[in-house]
Amino acid sequence: MSVLETRIDPADPDFRARAAAYDALIDQLHERLGWALAGGGPKMVERHRARGKILVRERIDLLIDPGTAFLELTPLAGWGLYDNQLPAAGIVTGIGTVRGTACMIIANDATVKGGSFFRETVKKHIRAQEIARENRLPVLYLVDCGGANLNQMEEVFYDENHFGGTFFRQCRMSAEGIPQLAAVFGECTAGGAYIPALCDEFVMVEGNASIHLGGPQIVKAAISEIVDRMELGGAALHTLQSGVSDHIAPDEHAAIGRLRDMVGALAYAQPFAPGRRTPRPPRHDPAEIPGILGTDLSRPFDQREIIARLVDDSAFHEFKPAWGDTLVTGFAHLEGFPVGIIANNGVLFSEACLKGTHFIELCDQRGVPILFLQNTTGFMVGREAELGGIAKHSAKLVYAMSNARVPRYTVVTGASYGAGNYGMSGRGFRPRFMFMWPNARLGGMNPDVGSSVLMDLRRASISRHPASEEELAAYEARLRRMFEEKSDPYFCTARLFDDGIIDPRDTRRVLGICLAIGAMRPEPRPARPVYRM
């Protein structure tokens, strides 16, 4: 393959200024990640430890194999919501290796609202289960859960993607042969009791763990019976008498060890990609990515410079380089895995749509996963574009992307607006994973266009709803603030519109994990022809 050359000069003052501006975004990301890592705060952490319990991420560190990575998903879920009192949405999810087996780990953080399920907690739990099911990863539940938040019943109880949907997915995965295992560390009441009860096998910690469909207060109210939590559903009762639990452990360390033993006993086949090459680092330094980007989205950058810092040996076989040049397409290897890359270098014209469609079909025919690098304001608009069939050609791109049988991965490196987000495998089209960079923006329209459209509509209604120029100016400022706020990456990740905000310099490592997970389950791909666009 050809090796991508770079035009970047790290000594250039303009490059250094962009890098310095981006450093502020990285600092902000790390500061907010600290909020997530702190859990429920010092008081709740102290009370948790006083009960002889280990913090949630410490449990995960003990569970995964020493020296292996844990890819945590959406750690900033809940940011800016509930007065910032729901760090990480009260639950930690991610992928780690246990006894040599890649697993999805779903762990309640009891220091945050007692591990109760809020709207974002449920959404995060379900997203983790969907990833596990699509990639056939065993699911390990570290349960310390107070059940559903009763003040949010309309958000967590009734619908198919509410709390009950987590149990439905758990049952379906087990029926499909995807192991469901658990360790219970604390109270599991009401719906929380079903998490371990629906598992194939689980362990409880003596003295702290309990499982009951109705807690002592409910039992007292319902049948006037006075009983404490351990008498009602403690580890000894459920392991030695009721048979609900399969194992009892004297402490959390022993419970985690037993859970590791359960995984070791699975003999769960995870066939690895036989065509993986020996990884080779990029020739160009990924640490230079922030200086390439800067913080001004109106200033374009060449996605080839990004690709050169992500792929093995910076080698890239570009497809149709001289046609539809606002879309960069080509083949490469990343951490040894083959990958097709589709990256925006501007607005999507008809030619770019047809080129992308053709390339997706090539990847699908060859069984090569696709990485989308999004930075676009969308598809081209205007009479000339419509005359050239942009609606038809953009639909071809969306159709080909939606029906590709190979895994898709998405990283928002800059702007992701309007239908461009759709054609480039946005969240609505279910990529295996989707991440954003701190400079990224995601929305139906960019703030300039969106506020202009709504201002035109407002001015058109002046005869019916009079307003002074001062009032119109204030209205326009509010509109712009609204669009800017709702396209901010932290607004998006707080509501789980992605799988997390990542440091651009870590992207190669993160994607390497994702590609490895996807490569463990080759998709059945009956041959079909490529229709040249």
Side-chain angles (χ1 to χ4, degrees), residues 37 57 61 109 150 383 452 456 488:
L37 295 174
R57 289 179 179 83
D61 287 342
D109 185 352
L150 298 181
R383 186 179 185 280
S452 177
D456 285 347
D488 185 87

Side-chain angles (χ1 to χ4, degrees), residues 163-185:
F163 201 20
T166 69
F167 309 135
F168 172 77
R169 288 166 172 81
Q170 195 172 339
C171 295
R172 294 295 292 268
M173 279 192 284
S174 180
E176 292 170 11
I178 302 172
Q180 308 289 298
L181 308 173
V184 182
F185 299 103

Side-chain angles (χ1 to χ4, degrees), residues 148 150 152-165:
L150 298 181
Q152 271 195 340
M153 295 303 287
E154 73 282 7
E155 302 280 2
V156 301
F157 181 75
Y158 301 99
D159 211 351
E160 62 184 18
N161 285 326
H162 287 174
F163 201 20

